[in-house]
Amino acid sequence: MPRFQAVLFDFFGTLTHGVRRGAAHRATAELLGCSTEALVEVLHGSFYERASGSFGNAESTMRWVCARLGVHPSDAAVRAAVATRHRAVRADTRLRAEAVSVLAALRHRGVGTGLVSDCTHELPAFLPQLAVAPLLDAQIFSVRLGRCKPDPELYLAACYRLGQAPADCLYVGDGDSQELTGAERAGLSAVRLAAPDLAGHVVLNADHGFDGPSLTSLTDVLDLLDPVAVA
């Protein structure tokens, strides 16, 4: 029997390459009538509020962002900005080459798979279009649950949907949002993905308190599933 009955993954920086904001975000700023730098500053400063759904749906959230920026775009411009923001986040999302094969291998072994992501409205909207979507048995989005990592409720919600006890689940993440220590406090085992491309990854709340194991590739997760040898 595998050591773990389920593996939960972070999304950005874990199932995907490190996130770097591309040029597509300029279009959102132009529609709102502000500089890209000002928009990024507000987005960084409000991420956890937006990722917990504090301001309602995507359009309401964009209106809140406008208020923080002190701009007053038309209703049509706000709706267009929501659409361009969606396209910009999607453009920045590049799945790791091994993500699909690792998820498929886990399911082939009878191991459950789950996603636990701190995210705003864009990810739940475009995830169904990605190749990993049908390989994830549980999908937990902070913006829908109303709380962000390291809140234990996100991890426990995934475990519940998978029908597994936390002690039988492994959590894999790059370490943003104190997600690894959060997973451990919820009763899961945790491992850090320390892939080389994460050096420039956007990180808002690094998990400096985690001193557990690290992997350099998602494929290494499969090696953690074998039963522990008894001498």
Side-chain angles (χ1 to χ4, degrees), residues 1 14 17 52 66 81 85 121 148 163 167-168 177 206 214:
M1 177 180 294
T14 301
H17 288 282
S52 60
C66 291
R85 166 77 177 158
H121 294 283
C148 293
D168 293 325
S177 299
S214 295

Side-chain angles (χ1 to χ4, degrees), residues 26-36 38-39 66 69-73 77 81:
R26 286 201 295 268
T28 304
E30 291 171 359
L31 283 164
L32 298 180
C34 65
S35 69
T36 304
L39 176 60
C66 291
L69 288 165
V71 296
H72 306 282

